[in-house]
Amino acid sequence: MPKVRIIRRPEGEAPEWVRDAWIGLDLPILDEEPVSTAGYGVMTGPKNLVVDWLWCLTGRSKAVAGYRIRADVAVDLLEQASPEAGRWWHENAAYSVRRGALFVFDTAACERLD
């Protein structure tokens, strides 16, 4: 399975200390190359599937580009390295780490591992 290493603070709405905890982690990616897709912030975006779908249909989402990673897998790996950062995700953005949710890590924050 292809992976990326997080080499700098990823973009996003989580606090800086939480985003810094990703640095140095190797995460499995879903696609061979970065993708461009619709998305939104973990704090300001919708919190249920119906609203999620409506935001995409009505253009309230924004264009994001980077590597897609399963959110639950990413946070599990983060929790191993930084239990506090993992806990932040579960306490403050639980909807974002539900099974089936995806994170998009910006390309500049990632180093592709082969």
Side-chain angles (χ1 to χ4, degrees), residues 47-109:
K47 304 295 186 257
N48 71 58
L49 290 174
V50 173
V51 177
D52 186 336
W53 182 74
L54 287 173
W55 275 36
C56 287
L57 284 178
T58 60
R60 291 193 62 189
S61 58
K62 62 180 180 177
V64 295
Y67 290 98
R68 295 184 322 143
I69 299 169
R70 283 185 40 196
D72 58 337
V73 171
V75 171
D76 284 349
L77 292 168
L78 178 65
E79 280 181 306
Q80 292 173 27
S82 173
E84 302 83 19
R87 188 170 30 261
W88 182 91
W89 281 99
H90 291 292
E91 291 175 357
N92 298 281
Y95 175 75
S96 299
V97 298
R98 75 192 184 289
R99 188 176 183 95
L102 301 176
F103 286 158
V104 178
F105 282 80
D106 58 291
T107 309

